[in-house]
Amino acid sequence: MVKEALEERAHLLQSAPHLSGALPIMLPIYKWWQLPYYWIGIKLYDLVAGRQCLKSSYVLTKSRALELFPMLRRDKLVGAIVYYDGQHNDARMNLAIALTAARYGAATANYTEVRHLLKCSDTGRVCGVRCRDVLTGKEFDVRAKCVINATGPFTDSVRKMDDQEVPNICQPSAGVHIVMPGYYSPDNMGLLDPATSDGRVIFFLPWEKMTIAGTTDSPTDVTAHPIPTEEDINFILCEVRNYLGPDVEVRRGDVLAAWSGIRPLVTNPDSKDTQSLSRNHVVTISDSGLITIAGGKWTTYRAMARDTIDAAVREHNLEAGSCRTMGLQLEGAQDWSPTLYIRLVQDYGLESEVAQHLASTYGDKAFEVAKIAQVTGKRWPIVGKRLVSEFPYIEAEVVYGVKEYACTAVDIISRRTRLAFLNVQAADEALPRIVDIMAKELNWSEQKKKEELETAKTFLYYEMGYKVKTDQLTDSSEISLVPADIERYKKRFRMFDKDKKGFITILDVQRVLQSISVQMDENTLHEILNEVDLNKNGQVELNEFLQLMSAIQKGRVSGSRLAVLMKSAEENLRRQAIPVDRSGGGL
């Protein structure tokens, strides 16, 4: 299994080099006996990989480990071992596979579900499926010589359409991941803890200029909308704290996004311990000819498809040659090179960061996105209007996303771009513009635009961790500030509440900003105040402000725009109040 996975990993890196790459991962060692133990295991890993070994693993001294990963906890650190593994953009890889299949003649359908299986009346063999277009509700039949069930966590529900009595072969396991600011990890070095407090594995990796940490592993029910829990998020944060130095404060408020995924693990129906379940894939064939592929993992997707098709060819006497997917390049890979982004900058006038993002996301198709990018009206960049200022996603990607079968705003923020996975607040801010662009491309009505906006906001709120993030500050949040801090924050609040009303509104904030010559549009101010307005009455009361500052001090909230704005305004007003007279002499 390991050897096959390593061979498939090499194929993955070669078939879509723009979407995948090698990443060094550090195992910090805090006990001397662990050094030879892990060293032997990792060297055996290199040996099994053979020619497919990405790069040879190596040992680091304590000082060198801290130089490469300065956030690491120094106390009792012995040294570290570094090995190499692959990392890829999973959503874009999934799309590249579908687009490549379409290029080779496959008929693809988005947002389509199976209602039931069709069977021949005389033989009882499966001969097709009844489908439903989820977006329109229209149902239709698809006839086929062979039906393959490759539905991940939903495997057993399709198998039971074939035979209600069939036992389950999948036991779903939930894994939660969180995204934190990029400063929590080096740009090109990950960290792995192979034995956490409860025996699970935790990783801590740089991803899209952020830091991704995970994962949990617990039994779950199958759902199309898994939700991360506060318990899982705190477990990951707790394990991360164990490996970072005391000078790095790991704050709950720094969790920018959180999500839960479902692994379709193959298991005995009676098994209860998902951590010991197999990640191998199995291919089964029912008496009626339904082919099922279950289990497996991303790295071995090509081998899984090969084994499945081989089984289908044998079972249904299909005419087919040998498998030709080994070495087949996926959409965007053919003319991609590591320096492709430079041509995007030179030929189209894109920002370097945006050009690098387009090249690593679309490969050689990045030029098609650049061609439809809007002129900015600025000296530089010439084209490429960003959806949000801090991320390199541009408006042209929304237009291009529709050409890539995107049907909903959720598709754009999570499956065509990764904005929802990187920062839920940024995704929320970008949604109105994304919906406007899609409405123009897909001829949406005003009612449809409203529905899309609400659906996408619900997705961010529940499935991407916005709810558990906002729950850190509620109207029942405790205020645990010392008297001196309370007085200091009251004084800051009164600078805005000149009329001593006990609350501040948009007008109060605008008045202060005008006094320090700062301009900010009303919609942005409304968003800023709404983040703190717990009872949603259009104003921020003193108690709400003190709850915010208390949550910030405890690390449960970070990046509050209102807190930063009020502190900045206070400092500006103080500077204005200090008279500066000409000195008595000198230059």
Side-chain angles (χ1 to χ4, degrees):
M1 174 198 172
V2 174
K3 187 171 180 60
E4 179 187 58
L6 292 171
E7 289 174 351
E8 292 300 321
R9 182 186 68 180
H11 162 74
L12 202 62
L13 294 170
Q14 293 165 6
S15 65
H18 58 299
L19 295 174
S20 54
L23 178 71
I25 300 176
M26 179 185 294
L27 273 75
I29 304 297
Y30 287 92
K31 295 177 181 177
W32 280 108
W33 67 265
Q34 290 179 331
L35 195 58
Y37 176 78
Y38 287 125
W39 172 246
I40 292 170
I42 288 175
K43 274 302 172 186
L44 286 173
Y45 189 74
D46 288 350
L47 186 64
V48 171
R51 290 181 303 170
Q52 311 295 355
C53 182
L54 300 179
K55 289 185 181 180
S56 183
S57 55
Y58 55 91
V59 175
L60 293 174
T61 62
K62 175 180 179 178
S63 60
R64 182 61 177 152
L66 291 170
E67 182 182 338
L68 293 174
F69 209 120
M71 309 84 173
L72 211 55
R73 178 166 61 87
R74 299 166 178 262
D75 182 39
K76 297 182 181 179
L77 181 67
V78 172
I81 300 172
V82 175
Y83 76 101
Y84 286 79
D85 210 339
Q87 185 181 47
H88 74 160
N89 186 332
D90 57 344
R92 293 298 313 183
M93 185 72 77
N94 184 48
L95 187 61
I97 293 168
L99 292 172
T100 304
R103 173 156 51 90
Y104 278 88
T108 59
N110 203 5
Y111 283 95
T112 304
E113 67 179 12
V114 174
R115 304 293 285 172
H116 59 81
L117 301 178
L118 303 178
K119 293 187 177 183
C120 296
S121 56
D122 53 343
T123 64
R125 302 276 287 178
V126 175
C127 60
V129 293
R130 179 72 172 178
C131 294
R132 175 177 174 269
D133 183 330
V134 175
L135 299 179
T136 65
K138 182 181 177 181
E139 294 193 3
F140 55 95
D141 291 341
V142 176
R143 298 282 176 175
K145 294 179 181 178
C146 171
V147 173
I148 296 174
N149 172 20
T151 53
F154 301 94
T155 292
D156 286 322
S157 62
V158 176
R159 291 175 72 242
K160 288 183 184 299
M161 292 180 187
D162 180 37
D163 179 1
Q164 282 289 337
E165 304 302 319
V166 71
N168 289 342
I169 63 169
C170 275
Q171 186 168 325
S173 169
V176 171
H177 298 75
I178 64 174
V179 166
M180 305 175 77
Y183 55 71
Y184 273 98
S185 64
D187 291 338
N188 195 37
M189 178 70 75
L191 183 144
L192 180 78
D193 177 5
T196 62
S197 57
D198 66 352
R200 291 183 281 193
V201 173
I202 282 284
F203 58 79
F204 197 60
L205 310 173
W207 180 64
E208 299 286 323
K209 298 191 176 178
M210 294 294 184
T211 300
I212 184 173
T215 178
T216 58
D217 192 357
S218 53
T220 186
D221 294 326
V222 175
T223 172
H225 306 286
I227 297 173
T229 66
E230 185 63 21
E231 181 184 359
D232 286 329
I233 292 171
N234 283 323
F235 166 78
I236 296 171
L237 289 175
C238 183
E239 295 299 331
V240 167
R241 289 188 186 101
N242 291 337
Y243 275 88
L244 298 187
D247 54 332
V248 180
E249 183 184 359
V250 180
R251 305 179 300 180
R252 173 61 180 83
D254 283 339
V255 177
L256 304 175
W259 68 92
S260 176
I262 300 179
R263 302 184 189 93
L265 306 181
V266 182
T267 181
N268 182 309
D270 300 324
S271 175
K272 300 219 170 146
D273 179 13
T274 63
Q275 294 172 56
S276 63
L277 299 176
S278 173
R279 263 67 172 177
N280 291 348
H281 66 272
V282 296
V283 178
T284 65
I285 305 172
S286 73
D287 293 339
S288 62
L290 176 68
I291 310 286
T292 293
I293 170 69
K297 56 184 179 179
W298 246 119
T299 309
T300 59
Y301 86 89
R302 192 206 65 85
M304 293 167 63
R306 178 201 62 207
D307 294 348
T308 306
I309 297 300
D310 285 349
V313 169
R314 288 193 304 269
E315 174 67 16
H316 295 274
N317 299 314
L318 305 176
E319 293 184 10
S322 59
C323 179
R324 295 182 294 170
T325 53
M326 179 60 83
L328 178 69
Q329 289 194 306
L330 299 180
E331 190 81 353
Q334 187 171 0
D335 295 320
W336 176 85
S337 73
T339 57
L340 181 144
Y341 79 94
I342 297 175
R343 287 176 55 198
L344 292 171
V345 175
Q346 294 176 337
D347 294 354
Y348 295 94
L350 287 160
E351 291 175 84
S352 181
E353 183 187 13
V354 171
Q356 288 176 2
H357 153 67
L358 294 181
S360 65
T361 301
Y362 302 94
D364 60 20
K365 302 299 180 184
F367 293 101
E368 296 184 16
V369 182
K371 286 176 185 176
I372 60 176
Q374 285 187 307
V375 175
T376 64
K378 302 176 183 177
R379 184 183 61 81
W380 190 263
I382 298 172
V383 300
K385 290 184 179 179
R386 294 195 182 209
L387 288 168
V388 284
S389 60
E390 66 264 45
F391 291 99
Y393 302 113
I394 59 175
E395 292 183 357
E397 291 182 79
V398 182
V399 178
Y400 194 76
V402 173
K403 301 178 189 299
E404 293 182 320
Y405 308 124
C407 299
T408 67
V410 172
D411 287 342
I412 295 294
I413 61 176
S414 63
R415 304 180 188 108
R416 301 306 182 274
T417 73
R418 309 314 307 273
L419 193 52
F421 288 83
L422 295 171
N423 190 315
V424 286
Q425 284 184 275
D428 187 59
E429 290 171 19
L431 271 175
R433 183 58 186 146
I434 289 171
V435 170
D436 283 343
I437 296 171
M438 293 189 76
K440 186 176 179 181
E441 294 296 313
L442 297 169
N443 298 316
W444 285 347
S445 65
E446 287 300 317
Q447 179 61 30
K448 175 64 174 175
K449 287 172 62 177
K450 184 178 179 181
E451 290 171 1
E452 280 294 323
L453 196 59
E454 287 304 312
T455 299
K457 284 181 175 289
T458 300
F459 167 77
L460 291 175
Y461 189 70
Y462 290 105
E463 295 181 52
M464 297 310 301
Y466 212 159
K467 181 181 186 298
V468 285
K469 183 179 180 69
T470 55
D471 284 349
Q472 301 308 305
L473 184 63
T474 66
D475 52 12
S476 61
S477 296
E478 180 185 356
I479 298 174
S480 55
L481 298 168
V482 298
D485 283 340
I486 290 177
E487 194 55 42
R488 176 159 57 94
Y489 294 136
K490 281 184 176 179
K491 186 177 179 181
R492 183 177 299 170
F493 187 85
R494 292 189 193 109
M495 295 179 74
F496 287 76
D497 181 22
K498 286 289 186 183
D499 301 327
K500 299 181 180 179
K501 306 182 297 296
F503 61 86
I504 58 175
T505 64
I506 288 178
L507 293 176
D508 294 317
V509 178
Q510 284 177 325
R511 175 181 51 77
V512 174
L513 292 180
Q514 287 171 1
S515 70
I516 59 176
S517 302
V518 173
Q519 297 293 323
M520 192 172 292
D521 68 85
E522 190 170 325
N523 286 336
T524 302
L525 281 176
H526 177 75
E527 290 175 3
I528 291 173
L529 263 67
N530 194 52
E531 291 172 5
V532 187
D533 180 14
L534 302 177
N535 52 19
K536 305 304 176 189
N537 60 358
Q539 57 198 33
V540 175
E541 292 151 12
L542 175 60
N543 199 58
E544 290 174 326
F545 179 65
L546 293 177
Q547 286 173 317
L548 169 67
M549 300 314 296
S550 179
I552 289 173
Q553 277 200 8
K554 289 188 289 187
R556 302 196 69 79
V557 171
S558 66
S560 168
R561 292 185 288 179
L562 181 64
V564 173
L565 180 68
M566 293 179 73
K567 182 180 180 181
S568 177
E570 181 184 41
E571 291 171 350
N572 273 277
L573 289 170
R574 280 179 181 168
R575 283 196 293 270
Q576 289 180 8
I578 300 174
V580 181
D581 298 322
R582 185 185 297 273
S583 61
L587 296 176

